[in-house]
Each structure stands twice: as structure tokens, then as C-alpha cells.
Amino acid sequence: MYGSSSLWKMFGLGLLYGGRCREHQFSSVLWSRGAYKGTLLFTTYSAERKENRQTVDSLNRLSVDVAKIRQLRSWVLLADVAYVNETANILKEMGAEEKKVALILERYPEAVLCTPAETSAQRELWRKLCANEKELVRIVERFPESFFTVRNHMNRQDNIKYFQTLNLNKRIVSRLLACSPQTFCNSVDKNRAVIETLQRSYLQLGGTQADMRVWLMKLLSQNPFILFKPPEAVCENLTVLQSLGFSSAERLKLLSKLKGLVSELSPRTMEESAAFCQQALQCTDEGLKMILLSCPALLYFSVPILEGRLGAILREGFSVEQVRASPAVLELPTQIVHFCIRRLVALGYDVKRDSLELLNGTKKDFEVSCGKMDWRKKRPLFNPVAPLNIEE
């Protein structure tokens, strides 16, 4: 929460990829079958329909929290046809306990709208990637929406075969399928174009064929959504980085360190943010490169965001020199910086003397630092009951 490593989790998966959730605002099962085509139509449909009593009773018998479904996914209870018992039986055959079946259907009640044939087909598809069905059940518990996304089944099969030709291990492919099922709805040609662009860029920047497989696996596992971007975006952004003075080796480092986020960057934002950092932090061209290599996320944030964060830090009493020495602090939201500083000051932290480095790292690192400071603050200058070592 407080540091750059966890920041990637929060911003990488939240801010950068949060827009993907809009694709799932309505059930993918219902949408693929044309059950509704817009909010107004769905609202009218909901007002005119009554709950399917058989669906409600079946869910109740399975100890599913129907009230929760009614609150968050009420349209599921309106469907004329649902396969509650059939879906539950398939999950039990896979090894899921009754309690886990109930939790799966609570988390993703749209599962009961899949036909038994569709659910069985998904089961067979995923079994090819899992060591056993016990592992598959764990995946379904964590990613029920991915498992019950039944559209584009042939595309899924073809994409799995393609990713396996890249010698990606089954665990990586299953993680991709779980975290980003939309990727497997793409045509194989679209995914291949992005993958080949990444491979070509990696080799052109100095990467080796021997290391490329491991590099690609890390990249896809860290940012599967890179496959949604046009391949031209990667090339364009790498060109912008070259114009900023980064060598091929440095661009390869950034491509790896950004964990695929290079495709999410805006060329204009990168140029403006780099210019702002150089001017505001009063650094040379070489100094700017060192800052961006250590904190590449600064290329993502717009100038108004960086300006606001820097201003807030300086108003706390820190100097530009302190920020320049610990630029990763600019990756943190202002609220988190304020919270951390208030807590540190209460423990004896001196804004003008101490480094901003304490704010970097993970939340666990921050808590450890605070614990050490608190211990030093409470520790007595000497132990009054300890014997004194005095020479006579």
C-alpha cells in the first residue's frame, strides 16, 4: 500500500486495468445470448419479470445466500431457465465440497445460466491446463467468472494451442486464462501479432533468444492485458523512450521493469512527464534517466498529478534534494504520503534531517520501520537493574 512494489498491484491492476471491468458490468452469459442489449431494456425487463421460484428454491437448498444474489445479481433469478442443480453436481463431481459450491454460486450466480453441456465443455478445456481437478476447483473458487465465461469456445481452444507452441508452461497459460479470459476470446492472429511484436522488440533491444521464453512468460503473467493493445503501441512507445535518450539496453530494462505497461503509456504523457520531472527535480539529462530507470511509473502519471504530489511533499517541509534522492515517493498518492509522514513524525521522524526512503517499499516494510522507531523511542537510556561494569 505504501510502496512502489505494492503500488504496481494497486495501480497496475486497479487504475490501468480497471476499465476492463466495464466489459463485465452485465453477465457475459446473458450478453452472449442477447438477453439484454442496454440498461433501459434491462430495467424494463426486470420490472416486468418475477423471480423463478424453482431457481430460488434450488439455491436455498444449496445454502446459497439468495438475498446477496437478489441485491447484486437479481437478473439471474428472473431467468426462465436455470441449471442450478446440474451446475452444482458438476462442481461436486470435480471435487468441490458443498460449502465451496455455495460460495462459487454466490460469487458468480450467472454460472447457473450455463447449460450443463457448456459447463462440461469448460471443465474439459481447463483440465488440459491443470495437473488435476483439485487444482481446477481451486481456480474455479478464485476465478468463477473466468471458468463460466462460455462464449468463443473454439477461440479458447485455438489460443491454448498457440500459447503452448510458445513453450509456455501450463501454469502460466492457466493463469492467463484465469486472470484474463477475454484474451482467449481474441482471435489467434491478433494475439500472435502482439506476441511477435514483443519478441521482435526484445531481440532488437539486445535480448537473447535463449532468455526470451522466460522473459515472455514473466511479461504475460505480470500483465496479460498487454495482448489487448495494438502491437504498434509497443513500437511507438519504445521510439519515444529512444527520443528521451535511453539506449537500447536501457529501453530493454524499462520494457522488462514496466512489466508490460509500456503498451499502456501515452507518448505525449511520457514526454510531458519526463520534462516536468527534469525541471521540477532540477536534474541533468543523465540524472533524469537514472530517476526514470529506478521509477519508470513516473512516465505513466500526468503532469498535474506529479505536480500535485510534489507540491504536497514540499509543503510537508521536505526539500527538492530529498525528493530527488527518493523519487519513488512521487509514485504514492498524496493521502498515503500524508498518513505515513504523520505517523513517522509522531515517532520522532525529522522531516528536514531524515530520508524519504522510509516511505518506499511495501506496507510490511513500512510497519517494520515504524516498529523499530517505536522501540528505540521507548527504550531507556540504561537498564537500572543491570550491574555496572566498573573497574575498581
Side-chain angles (χ1 to χ4, degrees):
M1 175 178 177
Y2 300 106
S4 55
S5 62
S6 56
L7 185 76
W8 284 117
K9 298 177 183 177
M10 179 170 62
F11 283 94
L13 300 177
L15 295 180
L16 300 184
Y17 309 146
R20 317 294 188 205
C21 297
R22 287 194 287 272
E23 298 174 12
H24 297 282
Q25 184 176 1
F26 299 117
S27 164
S28 56
V29 176
L30 290 179
W31 185 266
S32 64
R33 293 174 183 162
Y36 45 73
K37 295 299 182 184
T39 305
L40 179 61
L41 176 61
F42 175 66
T43 303
T44 304
Y45 176 81
S46 300
E48 294 175 353
R49 302 286 296 177
K50 292 184 178 180
E51 290 183 354
N52 184 325
R53 179 46 52 187
Q54 184 176 353
T55 300
V56 173
D57 291 343
S58 297
L59 290 170
N60 279 325
R61 282 194 293 272
L62 290 168
S63 300
V64 176
D65 188 346
V66 176
K68 184 176 179 181
I69 296 175
R70 192 174 285 123
Q71 181 182 8
L72 301 176
R73 298 286 194 276
S74 59
W75 63 82
V76 174
L77 305 177
L78 306 178
D80 291 329
V81 179
Y83 305 93
V84 179
N85 295 325
E86 293 87 345
T87 303
N89 288 336
I90 292 174
L91 291 172
K92 289 176 184 177
E93 287 174 8
M94 291 163 55
E97 301 170 359
E98 286 191 13
K99 186 177 180 180
K100 290 182 179 179
V101 170
L103 290 174
I104 290 170
L105 298 184
E106 281 177 20
R107 287 190 62 188
Y108 193 69
E110 295 96 319
V112 303
L113 303 179
C114 297
T115 67
E118 289 169 334
T119 303
S120 296
Q122 287 294 95
R123 178 184 180 183
E124 291 303 314
L125 181 70
W126 284 75
R127 282 176 65 179
K128 297 175 183 178
L129 300 174
C130 298
N132 49 57
E133 292 210 313
K134 186 177 180 180
E135 180 183 331
L136 176 54
V137 169
R138 285 198 297 268
I139 291 176
V140 178
E141 288 177 40
R142 293 184 61 194
F143 305 98
E145 182 175 357
S146 298
F147 180 79
F148 288 104
T149 298
V150 296
R151 67 188 187 280
N152 302 106
H153 189 76
M154 290 304 298
N155 268 12
R156 287 166 178 272
Q157 287 183 317
D158 293 341
N159 274 302
I160 287 173
K161 291 177 182 176
Y162 168 65
F163 286 123
Q164 289 176 332
T165 64
L166 297 173
N167 293 322
L168 304 181
N169 64 42
K170 289 184 178 181
R171 188 174 295 276
I172 294 295
V173 180
S174 64
R175 185 183 301 173
L176 272 174
L177 186 55
C179 298
S180 178
Q182 309 96 313
T183 299
F184 290 77
C185 295
N186 290 343
S187 68
V188 172
D189 290 339
K190 182 177 180 181
N191 286 334
R192 182 184 290 114
V194 179
I195 293 292
E196 289 179 352
T197 299
L198 290 170
Q199 291 175 322
R200 188 163 52 250
S201 299
Y202 177 77
L203 294 175
Q204 288 173 348
L205 294 175
T208 65
Q209 191 73 44
D211 297 331
M212 187 166 64
R213 172 178 165 273
V214 173
W215 175 81
L216 185 61
M217 282 197 297
K218 287 182 179 179
L219 194 69
L220 292 177
S221 63
Q222 291 164 341
N223 179 16
F225 297 109
I226 194 172
L227 295 171
F228 282 96
K229 293 294 180 178
E232 297 79 20
V234 175
C235 299
E236 184 179 10
N237 287 336
L238 288 174
T239 300
V240 172
L241 291 174
Q242 184 178 19
S243 70
L244 292 174
F246 290 101
S247 65
S248 294
E250 290 168 337
R251 283 184 291 155
L252 178 60
K253 185 177 180 180
L254 280 173
L255 181 61
S256 303
K257 197 165 186 177
L258 280 166
K259 303 176 182 180
L261 300 183
V262 69
S263 65
E264 305 281 349
L265 300 174
S266 160
R268 182 177 176 182
T269 299
M270 280 196 291
E271 292 171 343
E272 292 177 348
S273 298
F276 170 79
C277 287
Q278 183 167 17
Q279 181 180 9
L281 298 181
Q282 303 168 13
C283 53
T284 63
D285 291 347
E286 192 61 31
L288 175 66
K289 284 171 57 177
M290 296 302 295
I291 286 174
L292 295 179
L293 284 169
S294 63
C295 309
L298 297 183
L299 291 168
Y300 170 77
F301 298 111
S302 65
V303 170
I305 291 177
L306 292 173
E307 192 172 24
R309 291 179 178 179
L310 178 61
I313 293 170
L314 296 179
R315 284 193 294 274
E316 291 283 353
F318 293 98
S319 65
V320 171
E321 289 75 15
Q322 286 173 298
V323 178
R324 189 168 60 234
S326 302
V329 72
L330 293 175
E331 296 180 355
L332 301 175
T334 304
Q335 298 89 331
I336 292 179
V337 172
H338 282 318
F339 172 83
C340 291
I341 292 174
R342 295 287 180 274
R343 188 168 174 191
L344 289 171
V345 168
L347 295 172
Y349 180 82
D350 188 327
V351 170
K352 295 188 179 298
R353 180 197 65 201
D354 295 327
S355 169
L356 279 163
E357 198 66 31
L358 283 176
L359 276 68
N360 297 334
T362 64
K363 180 181 179 182
K364 183 178 180 181
D365 294 333
F366 180 77
E367 294 296 340
V368 169
S369 298
C370 287
K372 290 179 179 178
M373 291 180 67
D374 189 41
W375 179 75
R376 284 197 297 268
K377 183 180 178 182
K378 295 177 180 178
R379 184 178 60 179
L381 294 176
F382 68 94
N383 188 343
V385 299
L388 296 177
N389 185 17
I390 301 176
E391 295 182 5
E392 296 193 9

